[in-house]
Amino acid sequence: LIYKEMVTNVARHSSCSEASITIMMDRAKNMHLVVADNGKGFDPKTPTERNGNKNIHMRALALGASIHLQTAHDKGTRWELSFNP
């Protein structure tokens, strides 16, 4: 569901011309997911009525995953998720 929410956000909100999805497993069997776009970005500190970003963080916490969001207006968005399944 984390992956689905990230990709849905790209499709619905980013207005991007490019997006990338990378899924890999390292030698320690940790999974890494990166979803990035070159879209309009956003200010993650600005309150919103939407629950997508909050849900991503809550689901990552429930998995014991590390989650990192990098975004800014007109700078695109990049989510990085790492966990051990």
Side-chain angles (χ1 to χ4, degrees):
L1 291 174
I2 294 170
Y3 169 80
K4 178 183 173 197
E5 191 70 53
M6 289 175 178
V7 172
T8 298
N9 285 348
V10 170
R12 287 187 183 163
H13 306 295
S14 74
S15 300
C16 68
S17 62
E18 294 180 15
S20 65
I21 299 165
T22 305
I23 302 170
M24 61 190 140
M25 181 178 283
D26 64 23
R27 292 177 192 238
K29 305 284 187 204
N30 294 307
M31 293 290 299
H32 303 278
L33 167 66
V34 177
V35 177
D37 67 62
N38 69 345
K40 61 184 178 181
F42 63 97
D43 179 356
K45 294 179 182 173
T46 300
T48 178
E49 300 276 329
R50 299 180 184 134
N51 292 317
N53 295 332
K54 181 175 75 173
N55 289 342
I56 290 170
H57 284 282
M58 288 175 51
R59 289 179 176 134
L61 180 65
L63 273 177
S66 119
I67 186 87
H68 178 72
L69 170 62
Q70 180 181 351
T71 186
H73 287 291
D74 297 323
K75 300 291 183 185
T77 301
R78 179 182 178 93
W79 284 100
E80 297 179 29
L81 176 77
S82 297
F83 66 101
N84 191 300

